[in-house]
Amino acid sequence: MVGNSIPQLDVEIPELSQVAFVVEDLEDGMDRFEGLLGVGPWQVYRFEPPALTDRTFRGESHEYSMRLALAQLGETMFELIEPLEGPSIYTEHLDEHGEGLHHVACFAFDDPHAVIESFEEAGMPVIQSGNFDGVEYWYFDTADELNGTIFETAANVDSIPEPEMTYPE
């Protein structure tokens, strides 16, 4: 039974596309996940201007940047995020919880903009968003409902550009 205080969404999650962790140091994080769990190789990206545009944080236009690494484990993408500049949901997580699980994501929605509307109507607004070279992403304020975990969706994920590097090379 669902409690009365938990918002009800008319959204069905077709898959869990991604599991993401915030780390203090990206190379160290990649080494740990590869060494302990065999996750890798990693594709490394810098999310910063000019490729990173339309950034928002807590409802306002805001500047932030990060490095991230992506690796596939079966059908699920693993992501590690190292914040670089500016306050963000990543720096908040490190300050409040340290390194660890940050968000889960689904990139398989037919209409991600309808998903945004559903979350916002249920009282879980977008808390951070941006556009990385045509890949739009949105994080929702679900930490209270999902035991500290944020939910993300994105559009045009298949068009992510080539990585800055692959690790290990």
Side-chain angles (χ1 to χ4, degrees):
M1 181 169 172
V2 176
N4 290 337
S5 65
I6 299 173
Q8 300 301 298
L9 292 172
D10 187 23
V11 173
E12 290 188 28
I13 308 294
E15 67 179 33
L16 185 62
S17 307
Q18 182 187 77
V19 177
F21 299 82
V22 176
V23 296
E24 296 274 355
D25 179 270
L26 195 62
E27 283 76 11
D28 177 65
M30 290 184 289
D31 287 342
R32 285 184 283 146
F33 273 84
E34 195 278 327
L36 291 172
L37 303 176
V39 178
W42 297 91
Q43 295 184 320
V44 179
Y45 297 87
R46 289 186 76 88
F47 275 49
E48 61 189 1
L52 183 60
T53 62
D54 303 325
R55 296 168 288 173
T56 69
F57 175 60
R58 302 251 174 235
E60 297 184 15
S61 180
H62 189 73
E63 295 182 13
Y64 61 84
S65 62
M66 66 277 201
R67 288 179 67 217
L68 59 87
L70 304 175
Q72 285 298 128
L73 186 60
E75 296 295 316
T76 304
M77 176 189 294
F78 264 63
E79 178 180 46
L80 303 178
I81 303 167
E82 175 192 346
L84 295 175
E85 295 181 336
S88 65
I89 57 175
Y90 320 121
T91 58
E92 286 181 344
H93 189 277
L94 287 173
D95 290 345
E96 295 171 19
H97 309 288
E99 294 185 314
L101 178 64
H102 181 261
H103 68 267
V104 295
C106 177
F107 305 142
F109 293 115
D110 291 333
D111 185 357
H113 292 95
V115 173
I116 296 167
E117 188 176 311
S118 293
F119 271 89
E120 289 184 335
E121 286 175 357
M124 294 174 284
V126 172
I127 54 173
Q128 185 167 295
S129 65
N131 185 317
F132 179 66
D133 212 13
V135 178
E136 298 175 276
Y137 60 89
W138 305 270
Y139 294 94
F140 302 98
D141 190 3
T142 58
D144 288 343
E145 292 78 13
L146 297 177
N147 299 320
T149 305
I150 292 170
F151 184 76
E152 177 193 19
T153 194
N156 306 316
V157 173
D158 292 338
S159 67
I160 194 164
E162 289 296 312
E164 171 186 320
M165 63 177 275
T166 301
Y167 186 89
E169 293 186 72

